[in-house]
């Protein structure tokens, strides 16, 4: 209950901070006519929809599995990640078309010093929010919160990087590259979308794999085998194969094994299972291991 409450507090902080950022970016984009600021506002607004859904769904993620819901409600997270991925891709394509149309119409001269200062202020504010969220997250192990923290890290790097780029662009006019000055804002907006596009596709594909219960990639499977191997050797269990499934934030590992002797102590099976689950949860946070004896 305490974990759920803290998780919701962090998501609420992220939501309202993101809302203020999106409003500020939208107002600034109208005032400065900066399409890079408008692009950032659209992305932040899209993120807010996802966070709002997570706030509603967070209590479900803490409910235990049951006969009626053998995978719990973890797949709901994958469904909404797919919705987020499709939404982000749609936003990217729509804004890209608008930016390219503006570039072909002769560019969009703006006050680069103004944009640089604005992005610097956003970066400084993002650092403060990130540190506050990280402090609240000290005793939590939520993949959702981890993803939110990563998002704020990217925002910090992005805003400070934008600030530096627009600051340096002030000196382009005095160089042979001065002809790109009217297009600099569009160039930065396109670079932002190019940077975001692979991440959106990656998130979307990962959620699709989860929702259809596809096996993880070989590197991840080898990591699981390396983690479980010492425990299986300790109890002389010979693994036949690993059935690994990810559903939302939860990982399920079923290990089919054989034994060398003709009998198996129930206590050994119980101890091995406890040891496996303990190791797995230290590494993967939300994880359930099962041991299945093959005749």
């Amino acid at each position: 209950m305490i974990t759920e409450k803290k998780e919701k507090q962090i998501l609420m902080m992220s939501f309202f901070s993101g809302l203020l950022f999106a409003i500020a970016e939208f107002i600034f984009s109208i005032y400065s006519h900066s399409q890079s600021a408008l692009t950032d506002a659209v992305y932040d607004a899209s993120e807010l929809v996802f966070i709002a859904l997570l706030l509603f769904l967070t209590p479900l993620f803490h409910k235990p599995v049951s006969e009626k819901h053998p995978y719990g409600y973890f797949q709901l997270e994958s469904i909404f990640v797919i919705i987020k991925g499709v939404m982000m891709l749609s936003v990217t394509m729509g804004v890209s078309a608008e930016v390219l149309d503006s570039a072909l119409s002769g560019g969009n001269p703006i006050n680069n010093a103004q944009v640089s200062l604005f992005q610097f202020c956003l970066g400084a504010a993002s650092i403060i929010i990130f540190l506050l969220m990280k402090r609240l997250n000290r005793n939590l192990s939520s993949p959702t919160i981890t993803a939110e923290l990563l998002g704020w890290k990217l925002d910090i790097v992005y805003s400070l990087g934008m600030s530096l780029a627009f600051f340096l662009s002030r000196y382009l006019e005095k160089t042979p590259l001065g002809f790109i000055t009217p297009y600099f804002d569009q160039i930065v907006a396109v670079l932002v979308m190019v940077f975001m596009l692979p991440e959106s596709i990656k998130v979307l594909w990962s959620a699709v794999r989860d929702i259809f219960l596809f096996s993880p990639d070989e590197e991840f499977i080898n990591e699981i085998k390396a983690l479980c191997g010492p425990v299986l050797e300790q109890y002389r269990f010979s693994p036949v194969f690993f059935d690994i499934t990810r559903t939302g934030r939860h990982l399920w590992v079923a290990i089919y094994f054989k034994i060398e002797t003709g009998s198996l102590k129930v206590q050994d099976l119980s101890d091995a299972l406890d040891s496996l689950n303990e190791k797995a949860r230290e590494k993967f946070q939300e994880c359930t291991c099962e041991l299945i004896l093959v005749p």
Side-chain angles (χ1 to χ4, degrees):
M1 191 67 180
I2 295 176
T3 301
E4 180 185 336
K5 186 178 179 181
K6 274 195 171 184
E7 189 172 344
K8 291 187 76 172
Q9 283 179 343
I10 296 173
L11 286 174
M12 287 289 286
M13 179 185 293
S14 183
F15 177 81
F16 285 112
S17 300
L19 179 61
L20 289 175
F21 273 45
I23 292 172
E25 287 159 351
F26 185 69
I27 293 172
F28 181 78
S29 69
I30 295 173
Y31 170 74
S32 66
H33 306 290
S34 171
Q35 290 183 318
S36 57
L38 178 61
T39 302
D40 208 13
V42 171
Y43 273 111
D44 284 350
S46 301
E47 284 286 336
L48 291 177
V49 177
F50 184 65
I51 297 174
L53 290 171
L54 284 177
L55 280 167
F56 175 74
L57 292 171
T58 295
L60 294 178
F61 298 151
H62 293 271
K63 287 190 175 183
V65 297
S66 63
E67 288 185 6
K68 188 176 181 181
H69 301 284
Y71 286 106
Y73 293 87
F74 302 117
Q75 280 190 309
L76 285 175
E77 193 167 14
S78 297
I79 292 171
F80 282 105
V81 169
I82 290 174
I83 294 172
K84 176 188 176 182
V86 171
M87 179 177 64
M88 295 297 283
L89 287 175
S90 301
V91 168
T92 299
M93 298 305 176
V95 176
S96 296
E98 186 178 334
V99 169
L100 290 174
D101 180 64
S102 175
L104 292 173
S105 300
N108 179 37
I110 59 169
N111 187 327
N112 290 348
Q114 217 174 53
V115 178
S116 177
L117 179 61
F118 177 73
Q119 291 294 342
F120 179 81
C121 292
L122 286 185
S126 296
I127 292 173
I128 295 172
I129 294 165
F130 173 77
L131 292 175
L132 288 173
M133 288 175 62
K134 192 173 182 182
R135 183 179 178 83
L136 287 172
N137 191 49
R138 279 182 303 179
N139 300 318
L140 297 181
S141 59
S142 166
T144 298
I145 302 303
T146 301
E148 280 300 304
L149 288 172
L150 177 60
W152 281 100
K153 275 185 185 179
L154 292 174
D155 282 345
I156 291 169
V157 175
Y158 166 74
S159 295
L160 296 181
M162 287 267 286
S163 176
L164 179 62
F166 276 102
F167 178 78
L168 295 176
S169 73
R170 297 170 59 202
Y171 303 97
L172 280 176
E173 295 178 358
K174 303 174 184 178
T175 71
L177 296 175
F179 68 93
I180 70 170
T181 302
Y183 304 95
F184 190 80
D185 187 51
Q186 284 88 354
I187 291 171
V188 172
V190 170
L191 287 176
V192 169
M193 287 179 285
V194 168
F195 175 74
M196 294 289 189
L197 190 59
E199 191 64 28
S200 298
I201 294 173
K202 183 180 177 182
V203 169
L204 178 59
W205 175 240
S206 177
V208 169
R209 289 175 65 99
D210 290 351
I211 203 70
F212 287 103
L213 304 180
F214 290 167
S215 178
D217 57 59
E218 188 175 351
E219 183 180 351
F220 187 80
I221 292 174
N222 289 334
E223 189 177 356
I224 295 287
K225 290 180 178 179
L227 181 73
C228 299
V231 176
L232 297 175
E233 288 179 9
Q234 179 183 349
Y235 291 92
R236 296 182 180 179
F237 295 166
S238 302
V240 177
F241 71 91
F242 288 71
D243 183 9
I244 303 172
T245 304
R246 190 195 297 275
T247 54
R249 64 174 60 191
H250 203 90
L251 182 68
W252 307 84
V253 181
I255 305 172
Y256 292 78
F257 71 97
K258 289 184 176 181
I259 55 175
E260 298 173 358
T261 59
S263 61
L264 173 65
K265 290 183 179 179
V266 174
Q267 188 62 48
D268 285 348
L269 181 62
S270 177
D271 291 345
L273 189 58
D274 288 344
S275 182
L276 280 173
N277 277 299
E278 184 179 349
K279 283 182 174 292
R281 284 168 187 162
E282 286 176 1
K283 178 72 176 178
F284 300 106
Q285 300 173 350
E286 295 280 346
C287 183
T288 299
C289 293
E290 297 175 333
L291 285 170
I292 302 171
L293 178 62
V294 177

